[in-house]
Amino acid sequence: MDTFYISHGSPTLSIDDSLEARHFLKAWKDKTFSEKPKAILVISGHWETDVPTVNTVEKHDTIHDFYGFPKEMYKLKYPAPGAPELAKKVKDLLTGAGFKHVKEDKKRGLDHGAWVPLMLMYPEANIPVCQLSVQLNKDGTHHYNMGKALAPLREEGVLIFGSGSAVHNLRVLQFGSDAIPTWASEFDTWLKDSLLEGRYEDVNHYEDKAPHAKMAHPWPDHFYPLHVAMGAAGANSKAELIHHSWQLGTLSYASYRFKTAS
């Protein structure tokens, strides 16, 4: 199994047919990844905890963790089965790799960073799903090492993908304009070049290496899922840009596939 980083941008991805990223994800099985996973592990930028945490539930509630959007979005459901056995394996792998404290959450469902892309990629909602949290009190290397620990899951038919946004600054959204600010474009291009050239250590230390890092990601929540996906693919993986579009100037939907070395 290859690993992926999916930029989910705005929650309106769930209903807005004008978004190119929506059509990219709806065509997922036909054009990007035809193999059916046995289970899915999602690392979403919308679940932040002090220590790595997995949700161990039998069936997922749909968490509508957004405010002020059209009413129809709050009626959307993604009742995918949970993957408690996968959650246990994730916990064991992380613990075995030296992550001393790994917790289980036995109530949490899927936040919109998970269910919005999943409802487009796998609308049948019949594949077991597990979520893993990010830690804002840690850095990119921490999350890359989490991914490295989880790499064996790929051999078991588990699809691992991080869900965030390649550029994610909600403070300066450009309503009514399609113009991409220079800082956003330069960070987005730096990320693409770094990934495609295999400079993963630069991405791990993006705060020091990337142009306009703090503008592109005032908070790292939507970027750390990338590090997990990158780590899970292995140091010799090859990154591929599989989608690129923008919304409101400062939300990049750049998405990447990490082809694992044979």
Side-chain angles (χ1 to χ4, degrees):
M1 283 280 177
D2 296 338
T3 69
F4 294 85
Y5 174 65
I6 305 297
S7 289
H8 66 253
S10 166
T12 55
L13 183 66
S14 61
I15 62 168
D16 187 351
D17 270 328
S18 71
L19 295 176
E20 294 177 42
R22 177 175 168 86
H23 296 282
F24 155 66
L25 290 173
K26 288 181 76 172
W28 177 262
K29 289 185 288 185
D30 293 331
K31 295 184 178 181
T32 303
F33 195 68
S34 60
E35 186 175 352
K36 184 178 180 180
K38 293 180 179 178
I40 300 172
L41 176 62
V42 185
I43 302 89
S44 166
H46 289 280
W47 190 15
E48 308 157 10
T49 58
D50 288 338
V51 298
T53 306
V54 288
N55 70 332
T56 53
V57 298
E58 293 293 340
K59 191 169 183 178
H60 287 290
D61 291 327
T62 304
I63 303 173
H64 299 88
D65 51 338
F66 43 78
Y67 309 95
F69 287 88
K71 290 182 179 179
E72 62 190 287
M73 291 171 56
Y74 298 93
K75 298 177 182 178
L76 296 172
K77 303 289 184 185
Y78 190 77
E85 292 184 4
L86 172 58
K88 299 280 189 186
K89 289 180 181 178
V90 170
K91 183 178 180 180
D92 289 345
L93 287 169
L94 291 175
T95 302
F99 291 85
K100 295 181 180 179
H101 302 288
V102 182
K103 293 183 178 180
E104 298 178 27
D105 188 321
K106 298 183 179 181
K107 295 183 179 179
R108 185 181 175 88
L110 298 176
D111 61 58
H112 81 269
W115 67 259
V116 169
L118 282 172
M119 72 179 292
L120 302 174
M121 297 158 68
Y122 300 103
E124 302 84 2
N126 59 2
I127 301 175
V129 180
C130 173
Q131 262 200 252
L132 172 64
S133 65
V134 296
Q135 289 75 64
L136 298 193
N137 58 341
K138 300 293 184 179
D139 59 9
T141 299
H142 165 89
H143 290 85
Y144 181 81
N145 288 335
M146 283 172 58
K148 283 177 63 178
L150 300 174
L153 296 174
R154 295 187 288 101
E155 306 300 326
E156 301 179 19
V158 176
L159 171 62
I160 301 172
F161 80 86
S163 178
S165 285
V167 177
H168 187 258
N169 190 330
L170 304 182
R171 300 172 181 174
V172 289
L173 296 175
Q174 302 200 154
F175 295 96
S177 172
D178 293 328
I180 312 302
T182 300
W183 62 263
S185 177
E186 289 182 354
F187 180 90
D188 198 62
T189 299
W190 172 88
L191 178 62
K192 179 189 70 174
D193 292 345
S194 298
L195 291 175
L196 270 55
E197 293 168 10
R199 292 188 280 113
Y200 294 168
E201 273 303 297
D202 284 358
V203 179
N204 283 342
H205 300 282
Y206 75 98
E207 305 98 321
D208 300 320
K209 299 289 187 178
H212 319 292
K214 198 64 176 176
M215 275 296 287
H217 291 279
W219 297 97
D221 49 322
H222 278 55
F223 206 49
Y224 285 163
L226 166 65
H227 295 90
V228 182
M230 196 167 66
N236 296 319
S237 66
K238 299 294 184 183
E240 174 189 352
L241 180 67
I242 54 175
H243 176 75
H244 191 237
S245 60
W246 291 87
Q247 183 183 8
L248 302 176
T250 66
L251 292 177
S252 168
Y253 283 97
S255 296
Y256 294 88
R257 178 178 193 157
F258 295 94
K259 291 189 174 183
T260 57
S262 58

